Amino acid sequence: MSRTHLRIALGVVVAAAALYAPYYFQPTMNQELSRALYFAVAAMGLNLLTGFNGQVSIGHGAFFGVGAFTTAILMDSHGMTFELTIPLAALLAAAVGVLVGIPALRVRGLYLALVTLGLAVLFPRIGQKYVKGRGGVALVRPDRDGFDSLLDALANDQWQYLECLAIAAVLFLLAYNLTRSRIGRAMVAVRDQEVAASTVGVNLARVKVGAFALSAAYAGVAGSLSVMVDRAADATDPTVAFRNSIEFLVAVVIGGTATIAGPAIGALVVVLLRRETDGLIEGKEVLSPAIFGAALIAMIYVLPGGVVGGLRKLTDRILPARDGEPPGPVAAAALEPEAVATPGGAGAGPHTRAPTTKEKP
Amino acid sequence: MDLFIRYVLNGVGNGAVYASVALALVLIFRTTGLLNLAQGEMALFSTYFAWKLTSLGLSVFVAIPLTVVASMVGGAVIERVLIRPVHGPDKSPLNVLIVMLGMFLALNALAQLVFSDDAEPMPKPWASVSSPGDPTGADRIVELLGVRFSWSVIGLVVALLAECALLYVLFQRTKVGLKLRAVASNGASARLVGINSSAMLMLGWALAAGLGALAGSLVAADRGSVNPGLMAVVLVYSFAAAALGGFDSPVGAVVGGMIVAIAEALTTGYVKALSTIELVVPFALILLVLVVRPTGLFGKKVVERV
């Protein structure tokens, strides 16, 4: 069996399972899975920016929030249909993304992480100051009827799950095609070597700001979907945007950075992990973040390349050769940076690198 | 004018705290190139430890030094056990970021599980007057040249000056400091001349944890109590301070801390529209500086080779 066959088989099984799930599970579990789906959309957005374009953001909770509030306010105060608000939420989040992406051109790596962290910390405070929902707090709760199933055959929870699934599937397909296009290759080139990319004609500013806008739009759509699943857009808790931002990043890394399936797997892991650790011991709510944090560290140890990285390693062991590609050191090096790591780890890296940098003028 | 001086003095007190934590961030950044997101929560854990010691009857003057020493051991252990296996030039930088985020969540929760999930009174290591309703007493005020200083400002500034002096002597006047600087400036060459760089990395984390513990204990004493959310806000301002000064510059950390805190005190004092969103100030400052001078006020520019 070749890799392509394996992939197709796996894809069919996953798609069948995803379509059958809402009929199999109870409504609470369906809600949890819908949550995983919108989480996956936000994580995919972040993956486009961080995984493929190399711009680290700890602020996607803010774009997510922009999307959520756009939808909630448009439905609550302007009586719009839920589905109509989704593209508007995406557009508005993208606009905010451009606003953040332009100053982000000047800063990179850690500094960018910092600026975006500020975004996540600021967002709920701005929300609390300017958004006044019912009761005067920054919480907007549209009517339940706005999300009711349009088909008689489906219960509300099933309808919502399938709507999230359809939107997520479209956005994942879009991301898949994008990363294999000219734009996607430009994004990866900018990530790997900015200066070199610009010398071969990649417009750095356009690619980076574009990646920011697209990524923010994904997060905005996710926020929009979250209003349907969680029934409210909420900025009353000042830590919520920050926590979301962290969890999106966690989903990307746990699933597998710069892969297409990674964010979906990561989102499922994060949402289920949170569900399992919440209320593990009665009256000890604080135990949940302790276990969540410890689990994160443990997962990085066990799967440094994320779940997808781990699966690739496994298939490499079972099916040694790739399709039409002889097993060689070049392929191995491209696929698994860990495999060519020197045994000394952190200590040995610079030694092996030093001569190459000296050779160049 | 009186009001202006009062705002500035408030700012200086806070600035000393932000500067201490920013110094800890800079120490770790210089030796390992990492931005330690868990710095605040490490300090929070230490601060609860200090509170526990004082609640067991120890004097605050014994409790804080003991905490600093214990935190240094803890910091070294964290570097060795949690950070080193996932950090290196050939490993994904995102993995170490996730480990630090995990530490951030877990340490905050652990502090609440092990010690207390409530606000606990922290005794002040400087002069205070007992006041009803306040278990640790209010700060004593001294008047100097017509300006009223609170003892907490003096205590915080003295602690910051002591930290700076100690770090200066350690880095510039001792052999260990020379090794630390060597590892920071070029790890590979430092190893080639026989410096145990692993030990130096552990020492860097230990120093940072110790600084954080001291800053945490003092800010808790200044605010009167330690609570689980105490250091998260301080960390945000300290990030701002370190970014402003440049992540590789200790001088920048101190100057940045003061600028951020005084700017915060003045703007929230005079601009009423900024109440509750005072956090806008440090980020506006960061953004401004990074756009004009991406490496911070005192940072060195790194030349990139292709």
Side-chain angles (χ1 to χ4, degrees):
Chain A
M1 197 159 91
S2 76
R3 248 161 232 272
T4 323
H5 291 143
L6 186 70
R7 274 194 180 177
I8 293 172
L10 205 65
V12 169
V13 170
V14 169
L19 284 172
Y20 183 61
Y23 303 98
Y24 178 78
F25 289 116
Q26 298 294 312
T28 48
M29 187 63 189
N30 279 345
Q31 195 190 10
E32 210 67 54
L33 290 176
S34 310
R35 206 165 274 150
L37 282 171
Y38 76 64
F39 238 85
V41 171
M44 185 72 235
L46 184 59
N47 191 26
L48 286 175
L49 184 73
T50 303
F52 288 99
N53 196 216
Q55 305 192 71
V56 181
S57 164
I58 324 181
H60 266 50
F63 301 125
F64 180 84
V66 168
F69 274 102
T70 309
T71 290
I73 290 172
L74 283 177
M75 287 182 75
D76 195 44
S77 319
H78 301 85
M80 277 181 77
T81 333
F82 169 64
E83 284 75 15
L84 270 182
T85 65
I86 297 176
L88 292 174
L91 270 181
L92 199 65
V96 180
V98 171
L99 284 184
V100 181
I102 291 171
L105 286 175
R106 298 279 298 178
V107 291
R108 263 192 294 167
L110 288 174
Y111 297 92
L112 182 60
L114 253 182
V115 174
T116 52
L117 170 77
L119 198 67
V121 174
L122 269 180
F123 176 77
R125 290 173 191 254
I126 293 172
Q128 280 167 19
K129 208 169 162 72
Y130 297 108
V131 177
K132 293 277 176 279
R134 278 167 220 168
V137 292
L139 184 126
V140 185
R141 200 186 282 280
D143 281 337
R144 290 178 82 106
D145 315 345
F147 308 111
D148 279 354
S149 170
L150 300 177
L151 299 175
D152 291 334
L154 292 172
N156 284 346
D157 59 291
Q158 294 171 330
W159 165 260
Q160 289 169 9
Y161 169 85
L162 288 174
E163 195 172 344
C164 287
L165 183 66
I167 290 172
V170 169
L171 290 177
F172 268 66
L173 196 65
L174 185 74
Y176 176 83
N177 286 331
L178 182 82
T179 51
R180 271 148 191 80
S181 72
R182 192 188 157 92
I183 301 171
R185 285 194 300 275
M187 281 165 62
V188 172
V190 169
R191 174 194 70 189
D192 290 343
Q193 189 46 267
E194 217 172 84
V195 184
S198 78
T199 58
V200 295
V202 174
N203 185 336
L204 285 185
R206 202 187 288 166
V207 168
K208 289 177 104 175
V209 175
F212 233 109
L214 184 70
S215 165
Y218 269 65
V221 172
S224 198
L225 292 174
S226 80
V227 179
M228 175 170 77
V229 178
D230 300 331
R231 303 234 175 279
D234 184 1
T236 49
D237 180 357
T239 60
V240 73
F242 178 56
R243 210 193 55 213
N244 277 340
S245 306
I246 290 183
E247 289 185 350
F248 297 153
L249 192 65
V250 166
V252 171
V253 177
I254 295 281
T257 318
T259 63
I260 296 297
I265 298 171
L268 193 65
V269 170
V270 167
V271 169
L272 292 184
L273 192 64
R274 200 168 58 183
R275 177 189 145 100
E276 292 306 316
T277 53
D278 267 353
L280 202 62
I281 297 178
E282 211 59 38
K284 281 276 185 192
E285 290 84 6
V286 73
L287 198 62
S288 162
I291 294 175
F292 190 79
L296 282 188
I297 298 174
M299 287 190 99
I300 292 294
Y301 274 68
V302 180
L303 294 169
V307 174
V308 172
L311 286 177
R312 274 189 193 157
K313 245 185 211 168
L314 194 71
T315 45
D316 280 348
R317 203 166 281 176
I318 301 167
L319 306 167
R322 293 225 152 200
D323 298 341
E325 215 175 83
V330 179
L335 292 171
E336 280 166 47
E338 297 94 336
V340 290
T342 37
H351 288 292
T352 52
R353 274 188 176 185
T356 53
T357 45
K358 264 179 203 154
E359 279 163 16
K360 294 187 179 155
Chain B
M1 196 60 198
D2 250 14
L3 205 59
F4 177 80
I5 291 172
R6 214 177 71 205
Y7 289 149
V8 169
L9 280 180
N10 277 344
V12 168
N14 278 337
V17 172
Y18 302 158
S20 303
V21 178
L23 270 176
L25 292 172
V26 166
L27 265 179
I28 289 184
F29 182 82
R30 274 173 67 116
T31 45
T32 59
L34 286 176
L35 188 60
N36 185 12
L37 283 170
Q39 186 70 58
E41 304 314 308
M42 282 165 59
L44 180 76
F45 195 88
S46 304
T47 308
Y48 265 109
F49 183 76
W51 162 77
K52 192 73 194 171
L53 290 182
T54 60
S55 78
L56 292 175
L58 277 179
S59 150
V60 66
F61 295 101
V62 182
I64 290 183
L66 267 180
T67 306
V68 169
V69 172
S71 304
M72 288 179 73
V73 175
V77 170
I78 285 178
E79 196 281 328
R80 184 66 193 84
V81 177
L82 293 179
I83 300 297
R84 197 177 303 169
V86 293
H87 180 53
D90 48 8
K91 301 208 174 72
S92 162
L94 282 174
N95 282 359
V96 66
L97 188 65
I98 297 292
V99 167
M100 288 193 292
L101 288 174
M103 276 163 57
F104 180 98
L105 295 169
L107 276 175
N108 184 296
L110 270 183
Q112 297 183 51
L113 280 176
V114 176
F115 300 112
S116 156
D117 52 6
D118 220 346
E120 300 290 353
M122 187 76 193
K124 294 177 193 302
W126 49 75
S128 61
V129 281
S130 59
S131 69
D134 190 350
T136 59
D139 290 324
R140 200 184 288 264
I141 305 287
V142 284
E143 204 164 316
L144 209 73
L145 303 170
V147 180
R148 289 155 58 85
F149 287 93
S150 137
W151 264 103
S152 73
V153 171
I154 298 173
L156 290 170
V157 171
V158 166
L160 175 67
L161 290 177
E163 283 166 17
C164 292
L166 265 177
L167 284 180
Y168 177 80
V169 171
L170 175 71
F171 274 91
Q172 304 293 336
R173 293 279 180 273
T174 67
K175 225 169 177 172
V176 175
L178 187 65
K179 288 179 185 171
L180 270 168
R181 282 188 289 144
V183 170
S185 80
N186 190 334
S189 307
R191 267 190 301 279
L192 287 177
V193 297
I195 293 171
N196 183 349
S197 75
S198 315
M200 292 303 125
L201 294 185
M202 280 170 78
L203 182 61
W205 275 76
L207 286 173
L211 275 179
L214 182 60
S217 305
L218 292 181
V219 71
D222 174 49
R223 309 281 199 266
S225 68
V226 46
N227 65 71
L230 179 73
M231 294 310 284
V233 179
V234 172
L235 185 70
V236 168
Y237 283 103
S238 305
F239 272 147
L244 208 60
F247 275 105
D248 52 1
S249 160
V251 180
V254 175
V255 175
M258 287 297 168
I259 295 179
V260 168
I262 292 173
E264 178 210 2
L266 288 180
T267 44
T268 49
Y270 286 111
V271 189
K272 289 285 172 273
L274 282 179
S275 62
T276 76
I277 52 168
E278 70 282 351
L279 272 174
V280 171
V281 176
F283 286 108
L285 272 176
I286 296 184
L287 213 58
L288 191 75
V289 170
L290 290 187
V291 168
V292 179
R293 217 186 127 81
T295 49
L297 295 175
F298 297 85
K300 277 198 210 81
K301 196 163 167 55
V302 181
V303 178
E304 193 182 345
R305 281 159 193 255
V306 181

